[in-house]
Amino acid sequence: MIRRDARAFWLFVGPFLLGLAVFAYLPIGWSAYLSFFDARNTVTPTEFVGLDNYGHMLTDGPFLASLGTFSVFAAFIVPLTFVLSLALALAVNQLRFARAFFRSVFFLPFACSYVVASLIWKTSLFSGVRYGLANTVLGFFGADPVAWTGTVDPPLYWIVLVTARLWLQLGFYMILFIAALQRIPEQLYEAAWLDGAKPGWQVFRHITLPQLRATAVAVLLLNLINAYQAFDEFYNIMGDARGYPPFARPPLVYLYYTSLGSGGQDLGRGSAGAVILALIIALVTLLQGRVLRFGRPA
Amino acid sequence: MQWNRRSFLTLTGLGAVGVAAGACGSNTGREGGTSLAQWYHAYGEDGVQEAVRRYAAEYPGGAEVEVSWNPGDYDSKIVTALQNSAVPDVFEAQVKIDWVRRNQVVPLDDLIDGVRDDFSPAVLAAQTVEGKVYGIPQATDTQVLFYRSSLLQAAGVQPPQTVDELVDAAAKLTRDGVKGLFAGNDGGVGVLTGPLLWSAGLDYLKDNREVGFDDPRAATALGKLRTLNANGSLLIGAPADWSDPGALIDGLAAMQWTGLWNVPKIQAALGDDFGILPFPGLDAGGAPSVPVGAYGAMVNAKSAHVEEAKAFVKWLWLDQVDRQLEFATGFGFHLPSRQSLVARATGLAAGPAAEAADYVRDHGHLVGGPVWTQQSNTALSDAVARIAKEGADPVAQTRTAVEVAKAELKRLFG
């Protein structure tokens, strides 16, 4: 019986583990190895350079600037996603009719490809010509067309980048919050009403929000990690065949151009940057988890 | 047949084995013969793919040539493939010095020696590293300034002959919902950096050993892009980028910097209502210019069939002049890379294409070149973007790019 169970276990889990080892752990390990070598245009380098690549990346202006870009993006996207997905969850959860319909409507964008959404945002909604949707609306008020992705002062491109990601991910976090809302015992609300709590903000502040703490912390952690990993919408909205502007260049886009850029590939420095970024994400996640008391009872 | 878990697993297992076996056997070519994999990027013109597949099928040299058409980021794909893969055997690209240093491509001097002088020097320079040729140029592309003649007349603007006149013309042509100039959605950073340096008599590199823009005039020239971006005369955020003629054809901009390959589409849409110019000189001390770009047919050093691949490259890109002429001029406007073929191309005998051929001959410049590395390019591109978009100090930004380019030259040549 045990042997049969073990066989079934390996039959179903084995391919997944194999895929994980080949496509995740091996590249991560190889990348860490490359980071200690001069690995220009090769994945089998021979020239050991120690920590030189790390030293370069930690003093490299564009890489450090890309971390600054990420910080701006995270400052926008994390709180906005948190507040709006929670608001959506509360609104949809209170619906008496068509709740499943609205849940699906808000969740559906999550199934959309980031690339497709980025191209729609770039070429239809926020194109700089007079017939782009945003410019058409502005035109009703007599305003001139705005170059949304090319205007740096003020940095209007953030509107394009942030709204694209909000549209894509709000539904996912809304579902997490709805699941958490539905797990709050009804008796808590009844007890609060009996104790005289006013429906609305008071109940939300003292009953709902504390009960959502575990989910809220998870949403914040996932959001921040996702912000660090921003690539698709940035690359497809801001980049073109000739390159990528230095403003709004997040870490992964910079590392992509360093490691896999056309013409020359510096896999040593790119890998060092990837290791640094992974360590930063791990550190920030651990700190955030500790500060927000992730995984501990309320 | 009754379906149960066992029969399902058996069938899917057999299916997987079959697919794997099929995949293993799908790329062996003719039995006993040699199979060569040839990669192209995805050309935009109709008919090119069919033509190159036909050339491959007609190769009489004994090897079967399988053509792969690669949409998307082809240049990155090639660089990745070259690292440790024997595939492709033959591919189109512009050589980079790091590829030569890593022994990723083979020199082709023995193929080209008899006809070397027939290639335009700038076109051959794109494929040459330290005196050796690594790619046989297939066709030459260039970019020029297209303008709508009627819009210039209506605004009382003459075709610009200097950079200041271009800036002035773009401003005057910006009216009635039409922008003066479109040079890419990045505000010209990608495509005008080279022309601006050349306009001042400078270049990316000098003799491939010195930085070519370590000069105060570089900051002056690059600063003109800031004026264009700041005065609202550039079209930014067009649905299609600079390489597509949509902005000019759709009346979004009165002038557009784009490729010669768009002449047929522009002619079809505008008739004779357009003209072309090279990028103007900065001033009396500068010069007009057009960029020259040419993919060359190259051979992967890790190929198991280097000699067969070289034989195919020689057959197609050196011996088959009629096919080369068709490849360059049969599907869009490109210039044959061999000067003797330019004279034979009837489509290039008059009109804008003939003018462009003259521009390439008289004012053609290589964009970057084999020694211009990714690191140098990113540094210069970042500097120009900051100057143009953020109004950063051109002198300080240019100095930063110069230092990075110097460091790269030091890495390469000590």
Side-chain angles (χ1 to χ4, degrees):
Chain A
M1 190 65 188
I2 291 171
R3 281 182 55 197
R4 272 187 64 182
D5 283 352
R7 206 166 54 199
F9 173 82
W10 286 111
L11 181 67
F12 286 102
V13 176
F16 171 72
L17 280 181
L18 189 67
L20 198 66
V22 172
F23 295 111
Y25 296 137
L26 186 64
I28 289 172
W30 201 261
S31 180
Y33 170 78
L34 289 175
S35 69
F36 296 107
F37 286 84
D38 179 357
R40 286 186 176 86
N41 283 58
T42 180
V43 289
T44 51
T46 53
E47 195 180 331
F48 183 74
V49 296
L51 294 173
D52 279 6
N53 289 327
Y54 287 91
H56 175 86
M57 293 309 282
L58 289 171
T59 54
D60 181 42
F63 180 63
L64 298 178
S66 75
L67 293 175
T69 299
F70 149 74
S71 304
V72 174
F73 183 56
F76 279 123
I77 203 71
V78 174
L80 271 176
T81 304
F82 183 87
V83 171
L84 293 177
S85 58
L86 178 58
L88 268 182
L90 290 168
V92 170
N93 204 43
Q94 282 181 355
L95 287 174
R96 294 188 185 280
F97 302 104
R99 184 192 292 184
F101 170 76
F102 281 103
R103 213 162 41 197
S104 304
V105 163
F106 291 121
F107 184 73
L108 266 180
F110 184 66
C112 181
S113 150
Y114 269 57
V115 176
V116 171
S118 302
L119 292 178
I120 292 170
W121 248 247
K122 178 181 184 173
T123 59
S124 297
L125 303 187
F126 290 101
S127 82
V129 295
R130 53 184 179 269
Y131 48 75
L133 184 66
N135 281 339
T136 303
V137 173
L138 285 181
F140 292 149
F141 300 98
D144 289 333
V146 172
W148 296 96
T149 56
T151 302
V152 174
D153 186 20
L156 296 180
Y157 54 85
W158 280 121
I159 294 176
V160 188
L161 293 165
V162 170
T163 53
R165 176 161 280 214
L166 277 178
W167 184 77
L168 282 161
Q169 69 175 16
L170 272 186
F172 174 71
Y173 293 111
M174 177 199 75
I175 291 290
L176 293 188
F177 275 125
I178 286 177
L181 284 170
Q182 290 176 349
R183 286 179 56 191
I184 301 175
E186 198 60 31
Q187 295 92 319
L188 280 179
Y189 290 108
E190 289 167 2
W193 292 333
L194 287 174
D195 288 345
K198 290 174 190 161
W201 171 249
Q202 211 169 30
V203 169
F204 175 73
R205 165 77 181 79
H206 295 287
I207 305 293
T208 309
L209 209 51
Q211 290 294 316
L212 291 178
R213 203 179 62 80
T215 304
V217 173
V219 165
L220 283 174
L221 285 175
L222 287 173
N223 241 316
L224 194 68
I225 293 171
N226 278 346
Y228 267 113
Q229 294 174 335
F231 180 85
D232 292 318
E233 71 271 51
F234 280 79
Y235 184 77
N236 288 290
I237 289 174
M238 302 301 292
D240 61 44
R242 290 297 176 115
Y244 193 97
F247 49 89
R249 183 164 54 200
L252 284 197
V253 171
Y254 181 66
L255 293 179
Y256 172 77
Y257 278 105
T258 302
S259 306
L260 301 167
S262 60
Q265 302 184 327
D266 194 338
L267 293 161
R269 288 180 179 176
S271 296
V275 171
I276 292 168
L277 189 62
L279 289 175
I280 292 174
I281 293 175
L283 192 68
V284 170
T285 307
L286 284 173
L287 278 175
Q288 199 184 12
R290 175 155 293 204
V291 169
L292 298 172
R293 295 163 50 88
F294 184 54
R296 294 186 196 167
Chain B
M1 181 177 179
Q2 190 165 6
W3 286 93
N4 56 31
R5 191 175 58 182
R6 181 166 295 180
S7 62
F8 172 75
L9 285 173
T10 305
L11 263 184
T12 49
L14 283 174
V17 170
V19 167
C24 289
S26 66
N27 198 27
T28 55
R30 289 173 187 150
E31 198 173 337
T34 304
S35 180
L36 297 175
Q38 185 189 19
W39 283 12
Y40 290 91
H41 85 288
Y43 286 82
E45 296 97 337
D46 293 337
V48 184
Q49 186 176 180
E50 292 72 18
V52 296
R53 287 189 191 283
R54 174 162 45 84
Y55 304 157
E58 289 168 356
Y59 178 51
E64 181 178 350
V65 182
E66 294 182 18
V67 170
S68 289
W69 202 248
N70 293 280
D73 190 357
Y74 172 77
D75 289 343
S76 294
K77 188 174 177 179
I78 275 294
V79 180
T80 306
L82 285 181
Q83 286 189 9
N84 283 300
S85 167
V87 177
D89 303 280
V90 180
F91 60 96
E92 59 174 13
Q94 291 192 56
V95 70
K96 289 289 174 188
I97 190 168
D98 280 328
W99 303 3
V100 175
R101 295 281 167 92
R102 294 281 179 195
N103 296 317
Q104 293 173 330
V105 287
V106 297
L108 304 175
D109 297 270
D110 50 335
L111 305 187
I112 203 171
D113 267 346
V115 290
R116 189 186 287 260
D117 292 342
D118 196 18
F119 289 90
S120 142
V123 170
L124 207 54
Q127 305 296 348
T128 305
V129 173
E130 292 168 337
K132 288 186 177 175
V133 173
Y134 290 87
I136 307 297
Q138 301 174 167
T140 304
D141 280 320
T142 190
Q143 298 149 34
V144 290
L145 182 69
F146 287 79
Y147 60 87
R148 287 280 294 270
S149 313
S150 58
L151 292 179
L152 265 65
Q153 277 173 5
V157 171
Q158 291 298 314
Q161 303 300 318
T162 65
V163 174
D164 282 334
E165 285 181 20
L166 176 68
V167 173
D168 189 43
K172 285 181 179 162
L173 289 164
T174 300
R175 57 183 196 173
D176 304 328
V178 178
K179 291 286 189 178
L181 174 64
F182 180 52
N185 285 324
D186 60 356
V189 173
V191 288
L192 294 189
T193 296
L196 282 163
L197 292 179
W198 303 324
S199 79
L202 306 170
D203 209 334
Y204 291 85
L205 295 169
K206 210 185 292 177
D207 300 327
N208 280 336
R209 289 296 187 278
E210 283 181 62
V211 179
F213 53 96
D214 190 2
D215 188 298
R217 279 170 66 80
T220 306
L222 297 174
K224 301 292 180 186
L225 201 55
R226 171 59 184 168
T227 312
L228 275 168
N229 273 271
N231 69 8
S233 58
L234 281 188
L235 173 65
I236 307 280
D241 216 340
W242 67 275
S243 59
D244 185 279
L248 190 74
I249 289 173
D250 297 341
L252 298 173
M255 300 186 288
Q256 181 177 346
W257 182 261
T258 186
L260 188 69
W261 53 86
N262 287 319
V263 165
K265 285 183 184 170
I266 293 172
Q267 225 154 19
L270 305 180
D272 292 333
D273 185 20
F274 78 99
I276 66 166
L277 287 171
F279 193 82
L282 182 64
D283 47 33
S289 63
V290 291
V292 170
Y295 268 143
M298 306 180 70
V299 173
N300 184 353
K302 295 186 180 65
S303 162
H305 309 290
V306 167
E307 289 309 315
E308 292 88 341
K310 285 174 68 175
F312 172 67
V313 167
K314 180 176 184 304
W315 174 81
L316 180 55
W317 297 114
L318 290 170
D319 299 341
Q320 301 299 306
V321 288
D322 289 340
R323 289 181 170 92
Q324 292 153 32
L325 195 58
E326 183 195 36
F327 178 78
T329 60
F331 312 102
F333 274 57
H334 309 270
L335 302 174
S337 52
R338 295 173 69 164
Q339 297 183 38
S340 59
L341 294 184
V342 175
R344 280 183 53 186
T346 50
L348 304 179
E355 290 175 53
D358 292 343
Y359 297 156
V360 167
R361 187 191 60 225
D362 300 335
H363 310 301
H365 290 272
L366 189 57
V367 181
V371 177
W372 183 248
T373 63
Q374 177 78 14
Q375 283 77 9
S376 300
N377 200 52
T378 300
L380 181 58
S381 172
D382 282 6
V384 178
R386 289 200 180 95
I387 293 167
K389 308 296 289 189
E390 300 175 26
D393 175 26
V395 174
Q397 292 297 324
T398 308
R399 170 59 41 200
T400 304
V402 164
E403 293 307 321
V404 173
K406 277 183 176 173
E408 280 293 284
L409 289 172
K410 187 167 173 23
R411 170 178 76 81
L412 291 168
F413 302 109

